[in-house]
Amino acid sequence: MKKTKLGEFEELVLLTVAVLQENAYGVEIKRELEERLNERLSVGSIQSALKRMEEKGFLTSVFGESTRKRGGKRKRIYNATPYAHRVLQEMKDVRSRLWEAIPQPITTFQTL
Amino acid sequence: MKTEQVQMPPKWPLKFLRLILKKEYLEEIEGDMLEVFQDDLESAPSKARIRYTLQVLKLIRPKLVKGLSTIQKPHYYDMFKTYFTTALRNLIKRKTHTAINISGLAIAMAISMLIILFLIDQDRMDEHNPRAGSIYRLTTEFFDESRNRNISHGTTPYELAEVIKFNVEDVEDASQIVKGNGNIKFKDKVFGYRGLYVSPNFLGFFEYDLLSGNRGMALQSGNVVLSVELAEKLFSQVDPVGQLVELIDIGSFVVSGVVDSEAVKSHLRFDLLLPGEVFAAGNKHLLSDWGAGWKRFYNYFKLKEKASPDPLLVYANDLDSKFPAEEKALYSFGIQRLDKINLGRVVRNEVGLTTPGMVLYFFIVLALVLMLSASFNYMNLSIARGLRRAKEVGIRKITGAGKMQIIMQFLVEAQLVMFCALIFAFLLLQVLVPTFNNLKILRDIDGAITLDFNSNVIVYLVFIAFAVVVGLVSGIYPALYLASFKSLSVLKGPNHKGKSSFIFRKILVFIQYTFSIIFIITTIILYQQAQIIVKTNYGFNHANVMNVNIKDLPYPEMRNELMKRSEIKGVSAVSDLPVLSSLEEVDLVNKEMGPETIKSFLVSMDPFAIDNLELQLVSGRNFRPGLKSDKEQAVIVNEKAITMLGYADAGSALHQTIELIRELPTGQETIKKKIVGVVRDFRHQFVMIESGPLVMDYDPDRLSIMNIRFEGSDTEMVAAVVENIWREFDSSHPFQYDLYSYDISDIDDEFIDIVHIVGLISAIAIIIACLGQFSMVLHHVQLKVKEIGIRKVLGSNLSGLMLLLSKEFLVIILLAILVAIPVAWRINAFWTGKIFESPEVSVINISVGVAIVFLLAMLTIFSTVRRAVHANPVESLKYE
C-alpha cells in the first residue's frame, strides 16, 4: 500500500479516466470531474495529476484525433494500466474494511 | 455575412504558455486550454479571457513547466547566486537603512513613472496613423514686432492646399480643416458639438475607422459623421446611420457614419464632421483673401514615403504672397510633422488643446531632480555602510576575489534594492494614477493615463529598464569606491579612507538640501499667488450673475421682459466677458502727446453694464441709452489707460479725443473717440495676465452676451424664469447659461492644481533629503559610539556632545542655505515676473522656506544624536 503513493485528487482523476475509457483526455476528464465534484478545476491541476500518474505507471497515453475547436491540436487519450486497476481495488478494499470496523453507536450523539 | 470562426484567446498568455511549458506537453495542453476557452466563451463570454489568463497562471506547476534542471546552467550561475544571497543577507541585516533606501527610491520612482506614463501617452498622440511620419501641416509664422519674434499659428490661407498639391512633386494628397462649433438637434434633443468642416478625404487621410457607415461615401455633400459619444447621446436606441439631423442655423443633414474618435488619441478633437463645402459656400470671401482667411484653415499634406518636406516649405514661401501689402513682410510659412504637433513647439490657434514641448522638459527636470536625490541617498548610505564592510572586502580580496567580482557584488546589491523599490513604486502608482487623472488641467487636455497592462507592455519594460539604469547609476560609484580598498590596509585598522568619502557624501547631502530649499521657496511663492487668485478682488461683482448668449436675438425686447420679473435685479450686455473671454486688442493714440500707440483691450457694452456689474465711475458719466453720438464716439476708459495715454488725472482726460485703431479682416480702421468717463481699474484678464488699459465703447451691434443679475441663491428657479422669456424669442436653440462666478473659479482651479503638483513634489524632495540626512547622521553616530561613551564617562556635558556630533551637518545645511537663497531668488523672480501681475518674491517668503527646511533638518539630526548621547555609556563601551 505504501509504495503506491496515490493522492486523493489523483485517485479521483484516475477513477475518472477509468470511467471515460477511450474518451479520457484532459478537458473531458476536467468536465466529468467538475460535474461530479460540483466545483471548478483548473487545467493545470488535472494536467499535473495526469503527468505525475503517468510517471508512476498508473497511466499510459497515446495521441488521439484533433478538432477544430482545439485549433488543430491533438488530444492525448489516457488509459489506466492494469497496475492502476489493482491499486484502485486495493484502496477500495482497505477503505471498506475500515468502514466496517467503525463501531455503530454514532446515532446516540443526537440524544445527548 | 458572418462566417463561423474560432475566436482566439488573448495573445500574450499563449506566448507565455509556449515559453514555460515542457515541449512534449505543449500540444496537448495548448489544445486543452483552447477547448476550455471555447466552452467558456459559450457559457460566460465576458469572463472567458480573464479565466483563460488565470488558467495559464495555474499551469505554472513543477510537473509541467520546464524545470530549472532542464536548462543548462551557465557557468557563472553559482557566482550570481552567491552575490544574490550575500546581498539579501546584508539588506536584511540593516533593516533601517534598507527601509530608508527603498522608501526614498520608491517614492521618487513612482513620481518618475507617473511622468514617464504621461509623456509616453502624450507622445503617442496621432501615432495611430501609419503615415503620421509623412503627413505635415503648414503653419503661418507671424512676426510680432513688439516682441521681436515669430508667433506660430496652426492655420494657413485656403489656397495653399490646392496649389501645393498640384505643383509640388512629392505631395501625394492634401486635406483641409476648418473649426466650427454649433448645436445639433434630433427630434426634441439638442446638444452642443465641437465640429470640423473637412475635405472629403478626411477619414482616409487621418486614418479614422467608421464603426458604422461607409468610409468612402461618408463625407459626401448633405452628410455628417458623428463621434461615438455624440451619437450615443443623440440616438440612445436607434441606429444613427441614415437618420436626419438638424444643425441649427446650418441646415439638415443625414448621418452617414459614426467614427470611434475616443479610441484614437489625436490633436484633432471633434464630435461632428461636416463636408467642407458647407463652410466654403457660406464664406467665399475667406477662400481667396489671405489676410481675412488665414486664421481659419488648417492645411495638411501627405508626402510620398520618405520624401523630404523641404521642397514643400520652400514652394509655399516662394508663392506670390497675397497678404495685405503693408504687412507682407511679417508673414512666412513654417511646417510641422503630424506626430510632432503634440509635445512640439507652441502654436497658437490650434485645432484642439495640445501639450507644448516645454511641459515635457519641465516634467523631465522634475523627475530627474527627484530621482537623483533618491539615488544620492543610496550612494551615501552604501559608501557609509561600505566603510563598515571594509573588512569583508579585504578578506574577499585576500582569498582571491578580483576587483571585478567585488564591483559585481555591490552592483547586484544595488539592483536588488532597486527592484524592491520598483515593486513599492508600482503599488504607489496604483494610488497616484487616479488622483492624477482627476486633475482638472489633465481632463482639459485629454491627458488621462491608464495602467492597463495590455496596451502598456512597452511602458512596463521602460519601468524595468529605468530601475536597472537607476541601479547602475547609484550603484557604480559605491562599488568602484569599495572595490578600491587595499586589503592589507583595511585589515590593519579601520577608517583609512574615511575622510575623502565623507566629503563626497557631504556634497551629495548639500545638493539635496539646496534643491529642497529651492523647491520649497517656489512652492510657497506659488501658494501665495494661488491665495491671491482665490481671494482676488476682481473690482466688479460677478456673484449672482448669469451669462446668456444673445447673438442674433432682439436684446432690448428681451431686456424689457426680463426686467419685469422681481427675481431679476439688472440686465446688461457686453461683447465679451471680462476675465473669461479673450478681449479684442486695439491700439490707442493720443495725438496731442505724439504718434506712439499703446496696446489696449476693447469691450463693447450697453449703458446698463456699469451699474449691473458694479463698476465704479471715478469721473465723467456713463453712456446715455440710445444717444446716437455716444454710440458713435463715446468711450469710457480705465485708469490705467488714462495714465498710459499721458493724462495727468481722470478729470483732465474727460472730453479729450483719442484715436482707436482696430485690426479688422478688411484692414485697419482708425476711429476718433471721445473719453466721456473713467472707471476705476478692475480685472478684465485672468490673474496670471496683466489687466492693462481697457477701452469700453457703446456699440449695440457687437453685444453678444447678456449678464443677468438675480437675487437669492436658487439659480435653477431663476434659470427657468429666464428660459421661459427666452423661449418667446428663440425656440430653435437650446437654452444655455453660465454662472459668472463658477466660470471664474473654474479657471482658478486649474492653477491651484499646478500648485498642488509642485507642492507635492517639493514635499517629496524634502522627505527624501531628510531620509538621507537621517541615515547619514545615524551612521556617523554609530561610528562614534565608543567615543561618546568615553567622553560621557570622562564627564563631558550633554549639550557639548550634541554640538560636537551635529556640527559637521549644521555646516552642510548652512552652506546649502547660502547657495540656495540666491538661486531660488533668481529663478522665482524670473518666472513670477513672466506670468503674474504682482510678482512677490519677498524676504519673508524665502525665510519661511529656509526655516522649514532648516527645522526639519535640525529635527532629523537632533533626534538621532540625542538618542546616542542619552545612551548608557557602559552599554556603548561594551560594544564590539
Side-chain angles (χ1 to χ4, degrees), chain A residues 25-27 30-31 40-45 47-48 50-52 55 63 68-76 78, chain B residues 4-6 18 24-36 38-40 42 51 55 58-59 61 63-64:
Chain A
Y25 72 99
V27 184
K30 175 174 172 289
R31 233 176 258 143
R40 290 195 70 89
L41 298 170
S42 72
V43 176
S45 58
Q47 283 293 350
S48 69
L50 287 172
K51 298 294 181 275
R52 250 181 283 136
E55 220 163 77
F63 270 123
R68 198 179 155 67
K69 201 174 178 186
R70 297 173 61 85
K73 304 274 187 271
R74 282 175 296 170
K75 294 170 181 172
R76 188 175 270 278
Y78 291 87
Chain B
E4 212 194 337
Q5 205 179 8
V6 179
R18 287 180 182 158
E24 60 267 35
Y25 299 159
L26 195 60
E27 176 170 2
E28 176 200 1
I29 295 182
E30 212 184 301
D32 278 9
M33 290 294 293
L34 194 61
E35 194 175 335
V36 171
Q38 302 299 338
D39 289 346
D40 275 342
E42 271 166 40
R51 278 196 189 151
Q55 291 269 5
K58 284 182 187 167
L59 275 171
R61 285 161 191 268
K63 224 23 321 127
L64 305 177

Side-chain angles (χ1 to χ4, degrees), chain B residues 206-217:
Chain B
F206 291 101
E207 299 288 342
Y208 280 96
D209 286 325
L210 287 187
L211 290 177
S212 50
N214 177 336
R215 191 160 99 164
M217 317 284 279

Side-chain angles (χ1 to χ4, degrees), chain B residues 727-779:
Chain B
R727 278 267 164 257
E728 294 169 20
F729 298 92
D730 182 347
S731 51
S732 56
H733 294 73
F735 173 70
Q736 280 170 337
Y737 70 92
D738 293 298
L739 291 178
Y740 215 149
S741 331
Y742 274 28
D743 288 354
I744 286 182
S745 64
D746 247 17
I747 310 184
D748 296 349
D749 284 349
E750 291 195 4
F751 181 71
I752 287 166
D753 274 350
I754 301 180
V755 178
H756 283 162
I757 296 174
V758 180
L760 180 75
I761 288 174
S762 59
I764 291 171
I766 295 168
I767 291 172
I768 293 176
C770 282
L771 281 177
Q773 173 84 76
F774 170 70
S775 52
M776 200 167 141
V777 177
L778 193 66
H779 179 259

